Amino acid sequence: MNKSIFWVMLVGVVGLLSACSSGIEDTSQRYIENENKVLQYGKANNLTLTKEANSGTYYAVTTPNTSGRSAKETELVKVFYTYRKLDGTLLDSTTSVPLGFPYYTYNTILNIPVALLKEGEKGVFIFPETSQYTEPTILSIELISTRNETEQIGEFVQSKFAGLNVNSTSTGLQYVITKSNSTGELVKTGQTVTVTYTGKLLFPTKKRDSNGFYVYNEQFDAGSFSFVLGQGSTVAGFEESVSKLKVGDKGSFVFPSSLGYSKTGSLDNSTGAYTIPPYSPLNFEIEVTAVK
């Protein structure tokens, strides 16, 4: 499958002018020719195209929703999209699951349409040239929703913890105890705690499986380990979550990014992709198996 749309960047005027002197004229001429192709495509498909000044992207909002909400930086936006060449060759697309990502927290071509659409709108965005393609490409996209962290956590709790006794703390942690051991020892600061856990985002992310195919999955980690509670060896939200459990207890915990990986996220050094995007609230299912 082709490279993800996340890593396809636009080549604008600045990029063209930074080319070596011998190639500037040829590159500029190609860009002009590509712009003409874009305009011809728009005319042939009855699209009234507007040129976005900063990126040089041509676009048309095909399904307007003027009362819709605009995305703000760091909010989780969800989109459906199809990315292709002008001749119809498919380059990338979502499936039945929308793609979610924190808006404008890292470089992706998807930031451009999200900046120009409101929630519920659809649009067509045509790029004369990108860093990957020296020919025009077209992105058909729908902005499904945009949610800040408080809204994400509220919707998650309402959906996943419905009918359960939800506990809250002053830090923003919310949790339910899913298995209780009345005789278990309460975990205390300074003790070595052994836990099993599963870590999830509050939305599925697009990633490659072991066979190289794209899948959508919210889980980013799972396993078992031991640590000394209170020494800051894990993120604050995880430590606070464990402190609410006894040996033999199990719970499901959700907390904001301020208690997790904040604005930096967590990168997979082998791929350069985020395992945990910036500004992502997290959900951990944790069981305490031993303490000493």
Side-chain angles (χ1 to χ4, degrees):
M1 180 173 273
N2 290 285
K3 187 183 294 185
S4 170
I5 195 171
F6 267 76
W7 309 115
V8 181
M9 299 307 298
L10 280 180
V11 177
V13 174
V14 174
L16 292 175
L17 294 181
S18 66
C20 62
S21 58
S22 62
I24 289 177
E25 185 175 351
D26 288 345
T27 305
S28 299
Q29 182 60 37
R30 182 182 66 211
Y31 196 86
I32 292 170
E33 291 173 354
N34 284 347
E35 282 194 309
N36 288 333
K37 292 177 182 177
V38 169
L39 294 172
Q40 291 169 9
Y41 179 91
K43 185 177 181 179
N45 289 274
N46 296 315
L47 293 172
T48 302
L49 296 174
T50 300
K51 185 176 182 179
E52 199 279 318
N54 292 326
S55 66
T57 306
Y58 288 83
Y59 73 97
V61 177
T62 55
T63 302
N65 181 23
T66 55
S67 62
R69 169 176 167 178
S70 296
K72 295 180 180 179
E73 290 187 19
T74 77
E75 288 188 340
L76 173 68
V77 296
K78 293 183 179 181
V79 298
F80 282 118
Y81 70 82
T82 301
Y83 186 49
R84 52 191 170 84
K85 296 181 180 180
L86 291 189
D87 65 6
T89 302
L90 182 64
L91 301 172
D92 191 15
S93 68
T94 50
T95 59
S96 57
V97 179
L99 177 70
F101 67 98
Y103 171 54
Y104 230 91
T105 58
Y106 48 83
N107 288 331
T108 164
I109 203 172
L110 294 173
N111 285 328
I112 295 169
V114 170
L116 297 167
L117 293 173
K118 296 181 183 298
E119 194 177 61
E121 290 189 332
K122 297 180 182 180
V124 174
F125 294 78
I126 311 178
F127 314 111
E129 187 168 333
T130 67
S131 60
Q132 190 178 9
Y133 300 104
T134 57
E135 59 184 293
T137 51
I138 181 170
L139 177 68
S140 299
I141 186 168
E142 178 182 4
L143 177 57
I144 303 296
S145 62
T146 180
R147 298 287 187 271
N148 61 36
E149 286 196 51
T150 300
E151 291 167 329
Q152 292 174 58
I153 292 173
E155 290 180 358
F156 179 89
V157 169
Q158 185 177 20
S159 172
K160 301 297 183 180
F161 296 167
L164 301 176
N165 181 29
V166 181
N167 302 280
S168 302
T169 73
S170 60
T171 63
L173 174 70
Q174 297 190 55
Y175 66 98
V176 297
I177 303 300
T178 55
K179 184 178 78 171
S180 180
N181 178 15
S182 59
T183 61
E185 180 183 352
L186 186 66
V187 176
K188 300 180 181 67
T189 298
Q191 291 182 315
T192 298
V193 185
T194 300
V195 300
T196 59
Y197 70 95
T198 300
K200 299 178 181 180
L201 301 171
L202 304 193
F203 61 96
T205 58
K206 188 176 184 181
K207 59 190 75 174
R208 292 185 187 273
D209 64 14
S210 58
N211 295 314
F213 294 103
Y214 282 123
V215 295
Y216 290 84
N217 196 330
E218 65 272 7
Q219 183 174 313
F220 60 83
D221 196 13
S224 176
F225 77 109
S226 300
F227 69 102
V228 178
L229 187 66
Q231 291 190 346
S233 54
T234 70
V235 295
F238 192 93
E239 288 218 349
E240 185 180 359
S241 298
V242 172
S243 73
K244 304 301 179 184
L245 298 171
K246 303 187 297 294
V247 177
D249 281 358
K250 185 175 183 179
S252 184
F253 303 83
V254 59
F255 51 83
S257 67
S258 58
L259 299 179
Y261 292 84
S262 190
K263 64 182 180 181
T264 58
S266 179
L267 282 171
D268 182 338
N269 292 327
S270 64
T271 64
Y274 283 105
T275 54
I276 302 174
Y279 300 101
S280 294
L282 301 177
N283 170 230
F284 278 95
E285 296 174 1
I286 305 171
E287 181 174 9
V288 175
T289 57
V291 64
K292 62 180 180 179

